[in-house]
Amino acid sequence: MKQVPLKKTAIIGTGPGGLMAASQLALSGSAEVHVFERRSGFGRKLLIAGSSGLNISHHLPIDEFAAHYEGCTKEEWKKLLTQFGPTEWIQFLNQELGLETFLGTSDRYFVREMKAANLLKAWTQFLEKHGVKFHSEHELIGFQSTHTNITLEFKTPNGVTTAPFDQAALFLGGGSWENEMPSWVELFRKKNIKVVEFAPSNVGYEVAWSSAFLKESEGQPLKKVLLSTSRGKKLGELVITKYGLEGTPVYFCGISGKATLDLKPDLTESEILKRLRDMKENFSPMRRVKHLLGLSPAAESLVFHHAGEAKEQLEKLISMIKRFPIELIKPRPLEEAISSRGGVALNEISEIYEFKKFPRIFCGGEMLDWDAPTGGFLIQACVSQGARIGKHLAS
Ligand SMILES: Cc1cc2nc3c(=O)[nH]c(=O)nc-3n(C[C@H](O)[C@H](O)[C@H](O)COP(=O)(O)OP(=O)(O)OC[C@H]3O[C@@H](n4cnc5c(N)ncnc54)[C@H](O)[C@@H]3O)c2cc1C
């Protein structure tokens, strides 16, 4: 019987998107797979993400899950997540990589060990076992493509090298957490591919705290507070930093301008009033708050240092606790952001993530112009797109 030749396939980038595309190809057995990475080590951003607990996905019905994404239509996200969503991703981790996962109290999925190093090790070992070849210190610096084949050009420690492939998929990552603009942006623009300017997303914001407050509370959490901005509301924990605020609520709905903090979201204003008014001792309003409200120390300090005359009037103090005004001055820079808006314009690629101008070259993950909040939505989108592209290349 005539043997079908294996498709020589290049996957560029060793983040979750590239590794998942390589995995689908490896499982299919239909390709000779080469994975390239410009750095000497693999999966840098995955390792960074893992340093604060590796939140790999979220437990939500597909319809609600898809509503968390910007860029592409909700229908397109639903289709992608239906083909390879949280269930398939968790199954892959459990069955193919042998890793235990769990669902946290906040409906977020984590790998049991909470670290990315073991995930990365298990993943690269799985791929090597399936015959995938890894090439570190290979930076993609050029590409050509026709309808029959492609040529890729790499910068390596031994000079520039070119190699022919049948097909390739690029997962080069976004603009966040980098010291400089990724080199692929200029390469793509030279090739007449539109790249939307990067902007920070899932990022801390600057707030002008008073020095007395900062002295007391820098580095401390504002536990279980509700942040409201013109972008929406989000409950969670914020951390006071020298320059402002970090934490899920500000990543979720941060936007420059006026915002308010509800420092006691589980009680209404009248419930707080009842609790504080009924105190027998003749304490000042601020002392009542301290003794009866159970605010976190940073929240108490925030009120104490910024409430001015309201500290002496119970109703005014309560109103401030429920609607503490803050000004989010501006986001922190791209280098400090968890993710970025911007990237390859979505109209440059087809429904199957193939460049319209460069046939046989595909692109996915954070380098595309979509965005989502933290909470596992970013990694999930990257692996879903990686699976979609990998399965297509294997077919
Ligand atoms: C601090 C932090 C915390 C995070 N926490 C979470 C979290 O808890 N949950 C979550 O879902 N997401 C989180 N993320 C985001 C998540 O890490 C990214 O969404 C994800 O890694 C993007 O995957 P990717 O495959 O698109 O690209 P990346 O992981 O960025 O990988 C791209 C790879 O391509 C390589 N590359 C780039 N250019 C070239 C080139 N020209 N040639 C060859 N190789 C190249 C890069 O070196 C890199 O290794 C976090 C990110 C940060 C920074």
Side-chain angles (χ1 to χ4, degrees):
M1 206 171 73
K2 202 177 156 206
Q3 265 202 328
V4 182
L6 295 179
K7 287 186 261 188
K8 193 177 172 198
T9 306
I11 303 291
I12 330 282
T14 54
L19 295 181
M20 182 50 79
S23 302
Q24 297 303 325
L25 282 154
L27 287 168
S28 78
S30 65
E32 175 193 322
V33 187
H34 294 264
V35 175
F36 296 91
E37 167 59 52
R38 79 181 169 95
R39 293 190 160 91
S40 54
F42 302 126
R44 170 181 168 267
K45 209 173 271 180
L46 196 59
L47 291 171
I48 293 166
S51 65
S52 49
L54 193 58
N55 175 204
I56 45 166
S57 191
H58 213 103
H59 181 67
L60 274 178
I62 295 294
D63 197 49
E64 279 178 56
F65 207 112
H68 283 76
Y69 293 97
E70 288 171 21
C72 303
T73 63
K74 189 175 165 196
E75 285 314 305
E76 284 167 321
W77 284 110
K78 270 171 71 176
K79 197 169 150 195
L80 183 76
L81 292 161
T82 306
Q83 285 167 348
F84 191 96
T87 310
E88 291 74 18
W89 171 218
I90 299 297
Q91 241 169 38
F92 174 82
L93 290 166
N94 297 158
Q95 291 170 13
E96 303 296 350
L97 304 192
L99 294 172
E100 218 184 306
T101 51
F102 71 95
L103 190 59
T105 46
S106 52
D107 274 347
R108 296 168 183 220
Y109 284 110
F110 295 89
V111 278
R112 173 67 63 196
E113 297 178 49
M114 301 291 279
K115 289 205 174 71
N118 289 346
L119 164 61
L120 204 57
K121 192 169 161 205
W123 211 342
T124 49
Q125 281 176 351
F126 161 83
L127 289 168
E128 279 169 341
K129 207 176 84 195
H130 282 80
V132 172
K133 302 272 184 308
F134 280 88
H135 310 269
S136 61
E137 295 186 275
H138 275 64
E139 179 177 2
L140 181 76
I141 55 165
F143 54 85
Q144 307 286 343
S145 96
T146 68
H147 282 283
T148 50
N149 67 354
I150 61 175
T151 308
L152 301 180
E153 189 177 5
F154 295 98
K155 190 165 92 186
T156 78
N158 302 319
V160 171
T161 165
T162 56
F165 288 89
D166 295 313
Q167 50 188 8
L170 318 184
F171 295 88
L172 307 180
S176 75
W177 216 269
E178 299 284 346
N179 295 328
E180 51 191 39
M181 190 56 67
S183 62
W184 63 259
V185 173
E186 209 193 318
L187 168 67
F188 278 41
R189 285 184 175 150
K190 277 191 187 148
K191 296 261 182 200
N192 208 18
I193 295 172
K194 187 176 175 209
V195 181
V196 179
E197 214 62 56
F198 286 123
S201 178
N202 288 301
V203 68
Y205 267 74
E206 299 193 0
V207 179
W209 302 124
S210 72
S211 52
F213 168 64
L214 256 192
K215 203 168 158 198
E216 240 172 60
S217 304
E218 187 184 336
Q220 286 196 34
L222 288 169
K223 291 198 171 155
K224 209 175 168 201
V225 294
L226 180 76
L227 175 70
S228 303
T229 70
S230 59
R231 268 184 84 196
K233 293 172 191 280
K234 185 73 181 169
L235 189 70
E237 184 172 309
L238 288 165
V239 176
I240 307 293
T241 66
K242 193 181 290 216
Y243 52 78
L245 284 170
E246 291 281 344
T248 302
V250 78
Y251 301 157
F252 196 87
C253 60
I255 185 165
S256 300
K258 293 197 186 315
T260 57
L261 283 172
D262 183 345
L263 302 171
K264 193 69 188 172
D266 45 353
L267 292 182
T268 64
E269 226 160 320
S270 50
E271 283 167 338
I272 298 178
L273 181 63
K274 186 169 183 325
R275 190 185 282 193
L276 300 190
R277 202 181 39 201
D278 292 349
M279 191 184 198
K280 286 194 191 81
E281 291 87 346
N282 190 21
F283 281 0
S284 72
M286 198 61 220
R287 260 187 102 188
R288 284 168 194 250
V289 166
K290 210 172 168 55
H291 281 265
L292 294 174
L293 215 49
L295 297 181
S296 55
E300 249 175 53
S301 166
L302 187 65
V303 175
F304 180 79
H305 286 289
H306 299 92
E309 286 176 3
K311 271 190 288 195
E312 307 306 326
Q313 299 168 32
L314 194 56
E315 279 84 355
K316 277 195 179 165
L317 190 60
I318 293 169
S319 154
M320 184 158 241
I321 288 166
K322 291 297 287 177
R323 283 176 298 280
F324 190 92
I326 52 168
E327 175 88 18
L328 298 177
I329 299 168
K330 61 173 180 178
R332 295 294 288 172
L334 201 50
E335 304 91 274
E336 293 176 24
I338 286 178
S339 66
S340 52
R341 292 197 181 87
V344 174
L346 295 172
N347 60 6
E348 292 286 353
I349 54 164
S350 72
E351 205 198 344
I352 46 163
Y353 298 86
E354 186 176 16
F355 280 109
K356 290 176 186 167
K357 292 173 187 145
F358 295 93
R360 290 173 173 260
I361 303 184
F362 296 71
C363 148
E366 240 194 83
M367 68 184 295
L368 286 175
D369 184 19
W370 56 265
D371 194 31
T374 50
F377 299 102
L378 294 165
I379 289 179
Q380 180 64 59
C382 294
V383 294
S384 295
Q385 292 178 347
R388 171 95 176 85
I389 294 170
K391 281 180 183 168
H392 179 79
L393 295 180
S395 64

